[in-house]
Amino acid sequence: MFEIVRKIITPEEVLSQIPFPPNLQKIKSERDRTLQNIFSGADNRLILIVGPCSADNRDAVCDYACRLAALAQKVQNEIFIVPRVYTNKPRTRGEGYKGMLHNPDPHKGTDIREGILRLRRMHVQVVQESGLTSADEMLYPDNYAYLQDVLSYVAVGARSAENQQHRLVASGADIPVGIKNPMNGSIQVLMNSLYAAQIANEFQYHGNQVKTGGNPFAHAVLRGSVDTFGNNHPNYHYEDLIGVYRAYQKQNLHNPAVIIDTNHSNSDKNPFEQIRIAKEVLSVRRESAELHTLVKGFLIESYIQDGNQPPNGTEYGKSITDGCLGWDKTEKLICDIAENL
């Protein structure tokens, strides 16, 4: 039995209330084109999708994005930076903070209507203040419609990689969509997901029967895996990457590409290991022509302060979900990456 709490605002109403101004649309078009060129191989820069585990506070997130923008100017010849502004938080057991969508105020209860309005305002403000268009996770496929005119990158999480609706909606996105390997680490499942996202599809979406042409920029994100005993296993090593390279060769897929998630099961959820992991991957990428072409960048969890705090914590710029690298370590890491490409 379902009890209706309140009506959810429609995408049309949200876009009308919080429009994306034409000058920002121009920024997005240019950044979208750059990302497409990187994934197609026309641009050799490295992509960094970097930001907090959960975008819980608009002021802190916009502050962080502006810091990224200043740094992006310094490394623009080597690196293309996309702020990670994740407004949904998947929960393994269903408990806890679920992101701005569900909990626009982490100290209060669920208000999805207000959450939708707040997350869109935040994404628009990030572009206004920093000049950088952002990335978000497609945890709920229907919600992509609230942000599809704003985002430059979308991620499909490990728990969602096998979900039919996620694959179908990814096939209609006009921007790169990174699909993570499933929790068990299956590369075959990942390749099936990419194939489904790259082909044309016809399905139900927001009360309509829609058609898509397929997304040639759907690509793999390696985040490690979890075994049946709950142990984390990384998949960023040379042998793992060569395995993915060969799996791509067997498929009829466009633009083979991998983004390495430096946290989660790859780091055993130790955010400070992200520094070592990024440098290790860069090393094998330099030594292998195949991997130099395949590995397009990194997904890094970073915020203003190191570590994390409880969901009801009040420390500015400190994660209330998984631990993150603080700004000083992040800035140094990004500069080191740029110097070693």
Side-chain angles (χ1 to χ4, degrees), residues 301-341:
E301 291 197 328
S302 157
Y303 213 175
I304 295 170
Q305 294 195 56
D306 282 333
N308 60 351
Q309 61 183 326
N312 60 353
T314 58
E315 292 188 65
Y316 179 78
K318 192 170 189 176
S319 176
I320 62 172
T321 48
D322 292 350
C324 295
L325 282 180
W327 175 253
D328 291 344
K329 292 183 178 67
T330 301
E331 183 178 33
K332 185 177 187 308
L333 173 60
I334 293 174
C335 289
D336 286 348
I337 289 173
E339 290 176 5
N340 286 281
L341 286 175

Coordinates of all heavy atoms in Angstrom, one line a residue, residues 301-341:
E301 N 37.0 11.6 -5.1 CA 36.1 12.1 -4.1 C 36.9 13.1 -3.2 O 37.9 12.7 -2.5 CB 35.5 11.0 -3.2 CG 34.5 10.2 -4.0 CD 33.6 9.4 -3.2 OE1 34.0 8.9 -2.1 OE2 32.4 9.2 -3.6
S302 N 36.5 14.4 -3.2 CA 37.3 15.4 -2.6 C 36.3 16.5 -2.1 O 35.3 16.7 -2.8 CB 38.3 16.0 -3.6 OG 38.6 17.3 -3.3
Y303 N 36.7 17.2 -1.0 CA 35.9 18.3 -0.5 C 36.8 19.3 0.1 O 38.0 19.2 -0.1 CB 34.9 17.7 0.5 CG 33.5 18.4 0.5 CD1 32.5 18.0 1.4 CD2 33.3 19.6 -0.2 CE1 31.3 18.6 1.4 CE2 32.0 20.2 -0.1 CZ 31.0 19.7 0.7 OH 29.8 20.3 0.8
I304 N 36.3 20.3 0.8 CA 37.2 21.3 1.3 C 38.0 20.8 2.5 O 39.2 21.1 2.6 CB 36.3 22.5 1.8 CG1 35.7 23.1 0.5 CG2 37.2 23.5 2.5 CD1 34.6 24.2 0.8
Q305 N 37.4 19.9 3.3 CA 38.1 19.3 4.5 C 38.4 17.8 4.3 O 37.5 17.2 3.6 CB 37.3 19.5 5.8 CG 37.2 21.0 6.2 CD 36.7 21.1 7.7 OE1 37.4 20.5 8.6 NE2 35.6 21.8 7.9
D306 N 39.4 17.3 4.8 CA 39.7 15.9 4.8 C 38.6 15.1 5.6 O 38.1 15.6 6.6 CB 41.1 15.6 5.5 CG 42.3 15.9 4.6 OD1 42.1 15.9 3.4 OD2 43.3 16.2 5.2
G307 N 38.5 13.8 5.2 CA 37.7 12.9 6.0 C 36.2 13.1 5.8 O 35.7 13.6 4.8
N308 N 35.5 12.8 6.9 CA 34.0 12.9 6.9 C 33.5 13.2 8.4 O 34.3 13.1 9.3 CB 33.3 11.7 6.3 CG 33.6 10.4 7.0 OD1 34.5 10.4 7.9 ND2 32.9 9.3 6.7
Q309 N 32.2 13.4 8.5 CA 31.6 13.6 9.8 C 30.2 13.0 9.8 O 29.7 12.6 8.7 CB 31.5 15.1 10.0 CG 30.6 15.9 9.0 CD 30.6 17.4 9.2 OE1 30.6 17.8 10.3 NE2 30.5 18.1 8.1
P310 N 29.6 12.9 10.9 CA 28.2 12.3 11.0 C 27.2 13.1 10.1 O 27.5 14.3 9.9 CB 27.9 12.3 12.5 CG 29.1 12.5 13.2 CD 30.1 13.2 12.3
P311 N 26.1 12.5 9.7 CA 25.2 13.2 8.8 C 24.6 14.4 9.5 O 24.2 15.3 8.8 CB 24.1 12.1 8.6 CG 24.8 10.8 8.8 CD 25.8 11.0 9.8
N312 N 24.6 14.5 10.8 CA 24.1 15.7 11.4 C 25.3 16.7 11.8 O 25.1 17.7 12.5 CB 23.4 15.4 12.7 CG 24.2 14.6 13.7 OD1 25.3 14.2 13.4 ND2 23.7 14.4 14.9
G313 N 26.4 16.4 11.2 CA 27.6 17.3 11.5 C 27.4 18.7 10.9 O 26.7 18.9 9.9
T314 N 28.1 19.6 11.4 CA 28.0 21.0 10.9 C 29.3 21.6 10.4 O 29.3 22.8 10.2 CB 27.4 21.9 12.0 OG1 28.3 21.8 13.2 CG2 26.0 21.4 12.4
E315 N 30.4 20.8 10.3 CA 31.6 21.4 9.9 C 31.5 21.7 8.4 O 31.2 20.9 7.5 CB 32.8 20.4 10.1 CG 33.1 20.1 11.5 CD 34.3 19.3 11.7 OE1 35.4 19.7 11.3 OE2 34.2 18.2 12.2
Y316 N 31.9 22.9 8.1 CA 31.8 23.5 6.7 C 32.7 22.7 5.7 O 33.9 22.5 6.0 CB 32.1 24.9 6.7 CG 32.1 25.6 5.3 CD1 30.9 26.0 4.8 CD2 33.2 25.9 4.6 CE1 30.8 26.6 3.5 CE2 33.2 26.5 3.4 CZ 32.0 26.9 2.9 OH 31.9 27.5 1.6
G317 N 32.1 22.2 4.6 CA 33.0 21.6 3.6 C 33.5 20.3 4.0 O 34.6 19.8 3.4
K318 N 32.9 19.5 4.9 CA 33.3 18.2 5.3 C 32.2 17.2 5.0 O 31.1 17.4 5.4 CB 33.7 18.2 6.8 CG 34.5 16.9 7.2 CD 35.0 17.1 8.6 CE 35.9 15.9 9.0 NZ 36.6 16.1 10.3
S319 N 32.6 16.1 4.3 CA 31.6 15.2 3.9 C 30.8 14.6 5.0 O 31.3 14.3 6.1 CB 32.3 14.0 3.1 OG 31.4 13.0 2.8
I320 N 29.5 14.4 4.8 CA 28.6 13.8 5.7 C 28.3 12.3 5.3 O 27.4 11.7 5.9 CB 27.3 14.5 6.0 CG1 26.5 14.7 4.7 CG2 27.6 15.9 6.5 CD1 25.1 15.2 4.9
T321 N 29.0 11.9 4.2 CA 28.9 10.5 3.8 C 30.3 9.9 3.8 O 30.9 9.9 4.8 CB 28.1 10.4 2.5 OG1 28.7 11.3 1.5 CG2 26.6 10.7 2.6
D322 N 30.7 9.4 2.7 CA 32.1 8.8 2.6 C 33.2 9.8 2.8 O 33.0 11.0 2.4 CB 32.3 8.0 1.3 CG 31.4 6.8 1.2 OD1 30.8 6.4 2.2 OD2 31.3 6.2 0.1
G323 N 34.3 9.4 3.3 CA 35.4 10.3 3.5 C 36.0 10.8 2.2 O 36.0 10.1 1.2
C324 N 36.5 12.0 2.2 CA 37.0 12.7 1.0 C 38.4 13.2 1.3 O 38.8 13.4 2.4 CB 36.1 13.8 0.6 SG 34.5 13.4 0.1
L325 N 39.2 13.5 0.2 CA 40.4 14.2 0.3 C 40.1 15.7 0.5 O 39.1 16.2 -0.1 CB 41.2 14.1 -1.0 CG 42.0 12.9 -1.4 CD1 42.7 13.1 -2.7 CD2 43.0 12.6 -0.3
G326 N 40.8 16.3 1.4 CA 40.6 17.8 1.6 C 41.2 18.6 0.4 O 41.9 18.0 -0.5
W327 N 40.9 19.9 0.4 CA 41.3 20.7 -0.7 C 42.8 20.8 -1.0 O 43.3 20.7 -2.1 CB 40.8 22.1 -0.6 CG 41.3 23.0 -1.7 CD1 42.2 24.0 -1.6 CD2 40.9 22.9 -3.1 NE1 42.5 24.5 -2.9 CE2 41.7 23.8 -3.8 CE3 40.0 22.0 -3.8 CZ2 41.6 24.0 -5.2 CZ3 39.9 22.2 -5.2 CH2 40.7 23.1 -5.9
D328 N 43.6 20.9 0.1 CA 45.0 21.1 -0.1 C 45.6 19.8 -0.7 O 46.4 19.9 -1.7 CB 45.7 21.3 1.3 CG 45.4 22.7 1.9 OD1 44.9 23.5 1.1 OD2 45.6 22.9 3.1
K329 N 45.2 18.6 -0.3 CA 45.7 17.4 -0.9 C 45.2 17.3 -2.3 O 45.9 16.8 -3.2 CB 45.3 16.2 -0.1 CG 46.0 16.1 1.3 CD 45.5 14.9 2.0 CE 46.2 14.7 3.4 NZ 45.7 15.8 4.3
T330 N 44.0 17.7 -2.6 CA 43.4 17.6 -3.9 C 44.2 18.5 -4.9 O 44.5 18.1 -6.0 CB 41.9 18.0 -3.9 OG1 41.2 17.1 -3.0 CG2 41.3 17.9 -5.3
E331 N 44.4 19.7 -4.5 CA 45.1 20.7 -5.3 C 46.5 20.1 -5.7 O 46.9 20.2 -6.9 CB 45.2 22.0 -4.6 CG 45.9 23.1 -5.5 CD 45.9 24.4 -4.7 OE1 46.1 24.4 -3.5 OE2 45.9 25.5 -5.4
K332 N 47.2 19.6 -4.7 CA 48.5 19.1 -5.0 C 48.5 17.9 -5.9 O 49.3 17.7 -6.8 CB 49.2 18.7 -3.7 CG 50.7 18.2 -3.9 CD 51.3 17.9 -2.6 CE 52.8 17.5 -2.7 NZ 53.1 16.5 -3.8
L333 N 47.5 17.0 -5.7 CA 47.3 15.8 -6.6 C 47.1 16.2 -8.0 O 47.7 15.7 -8.9 CB 46.2 14.9 -6.0 CG 45.8 13.8 -6.9 CD1 47.0 12.8 -7.1 CD2 44.6 13.0 -6.4
I334 N 46.2 17.2 -8.2 CA 45.9 17.6 -9.6 C 47.1 18.2 -10.3 O 47.4 18.0 -11.4 CB 44.6 18.6 -9.6 CG1 43.4 17.8 -9.1 CG2 44.4 19.2 -10.9 CD1 42.2 18.7 -9.0
C335 N 47.8 19.0 -9.5 CA 49.0 19.6 -10.1 C 50.1 18.6 -10.4 O 50.8 18.6 -11.4 CB 49.6 20.7 -9.1 SG 48.6 22.2 -9.0
D336 N 50.2 17.6 -9.5 CA 51.1 16.5 -9.8 C 50.7 15.7 -11.0 O 51.6 15.3 -11.8 CB 51.2 15.6 -8.5 CG 51.9 16.2 -7.4 OD1 52.6 17.2 -7.6 OD2 51.9 15.6 -6.3
I337 N 49.5 15.4 -11.2 CA 49.0 14.7 -12.3 C 49.3 15.5 -13.6 O 49.8 14.9 -14.6 CB 47.5 14.5 -12.2 CG1 47.1 13.4 -11.1 CG2 46.9 14.0 -13.6 CD1 45.7 13.3 -10.9
A338 N 49.1 16.8 -13.6 CA 49.3 17.6 -14.8 C 50.8 17.6 -15.1 O 51.2 17.5 -16.3 CB 48.9 19.0 -14.5
E339 N 51.7 17.6 -14.1 CA 53.1 17.6 -14.4 C 53.7 16.3 -14.9 O 54.7 16.2 -15.5 CB 53.9 18.0 -13.1 CG 53.7 19.4 -12.6 CD 54.3 19.7 -11.3 OE1 55.0 18.8 -10.8 OE2 54.2 20.8 -10.8
N340 N 52.9 15.2 -14.6 CA 53.4 13.9 -15.0 C 52.7 13.2 -16.2 O 52.8 12.0 -16.4 CB 53.3 12.9 -13.8 CG 54.3 13.2 -12.7 OD1 55.5 12.9 -12.8 ND2 53.9 14.0 -11.7
L341 N 51.9 14.0 -16.9 CA 51.2 13.5 -18.1 C 52.2 13.5 -19.3 O 53.1 14.4 -19.4 CB 50.0 14.3 -18.4 CG 48.8 14.0 -17.4 CD1 47.7 15.0 -17.7 CD2 48.3 12.6 -17.5

